[in-house]
Amino acid sequence: MKSLEKMNQHAMTWIEDMMHELHTDNADRAMHALRAGLQALRDRLSVDEAAQLSAQLPLIVRGMFFEGWDPTGKPLRIRHREEFLALVREKFGRDDVAAVDLVRALFRVLQRRISQGELTDVMMGLPEDLATLVSGHGDRA
């Protein structure tokens, strides 16, 4: 039972990070945002890169990452920021958090929680205008 509690604690740190980044006290909203952002990112990454990123996620967060995944046809051919933000909005299915804010929050969490090398690999796989957005140098969308 202690291992399950520890897994929940690890996942909760990620959700709490999202709550902080999204300026909300709603854990459900933060969890859905985390899942939507990770799944959109997963679908844009190569299968190998998605697997490498998942290895650094807590077990429960990894489950959200892979939930409903079909690696056929991946990575999605998303070449522009707006296409990625549309995918995030689709996966989030809510309108109480702007997709651009969700993506920025996700990458701030990733920056704290995964290795710099893995984050660099993930960033290199993104369209340039999206990488600029999440690195903090892009304009608001």
Side-chain angles (χ1 to χ4, degrees):
M1 199 59 152
K2 287 192 184 276
S3 62
L4 183 58
E5 290 172 15
K6 189 170 180 105
M7 285 188 283
N8 280 335
Q9 286 175 335
H10 284 122
M12 277 308 300
T13 60
W14 283 64
I15 294 167
E16 289 166 356
D17 281 356
M18 282 298 284
M19 290 170 64
H20 172 77
E21 293 298 337
L22 293 173
H23 309 289
T24 183
D25 59 358
N26 186 322
D28 188 56
R29 179 182 301 137
M31 183 192 69
H32 286 289
L34 178 63
R35 180 175 52 215
L38 284 172
Q39 288 181 356
L41 184 59
R42 170 204 72 196
D43 289 350
R44 177 57 182 89
L45 297 174
S46 70
V47 172
D48 286 345
E49 189 55 48
Q52 290 173 23
L53 173 59
S54 75
Q56 296 196 25
L57 303 177
L59 185 60
I60 293 171
V61 176
R62 190 178 317 143
M64 291 189 300
F65 181 78
F66 282 121
E67 180 184 11
W69 188 43
D70 178 1
T72 307
K74 302 302 184 288
L76 294 179
R77 292 188 174 274
I78 294 174
R79 290 184 166 76
H80 301 285
R81 172 175 73 182
E82 284 308 316
E83 293 172 291
F84 186 78
L85 294 175
L87 179 61
V88 169
R89 281 189 289 275
E90 176 187 320
K91 290 194 176 289
F92 191 48
R94 302 166 61 145
D95 60 2
D96 55 349
V97 176
V100 68
D101 294 333
L102 188 159
V103 170
R104 284 184 172 143
L106 172 66
F107 275 87
R108 286 191 296 265
V109 171
L110 290 174
Q111 186 173 27
R112 281 196 298 276
R113 298 286 172 185
I114 67 172
S115 72
Q116 184 59 49
E118 185 57 36
L119 184 61
T120 299
D121 288 350
V122 167
M123 296 292 284
M124 287 176 53
L126 297 178
E128 187 175 338
D129 62 344
L130 181 60
T132 301
L133 173 76
V134 299
S135 68
H137 303 322
D139 58 345
R140 290 198 61 86

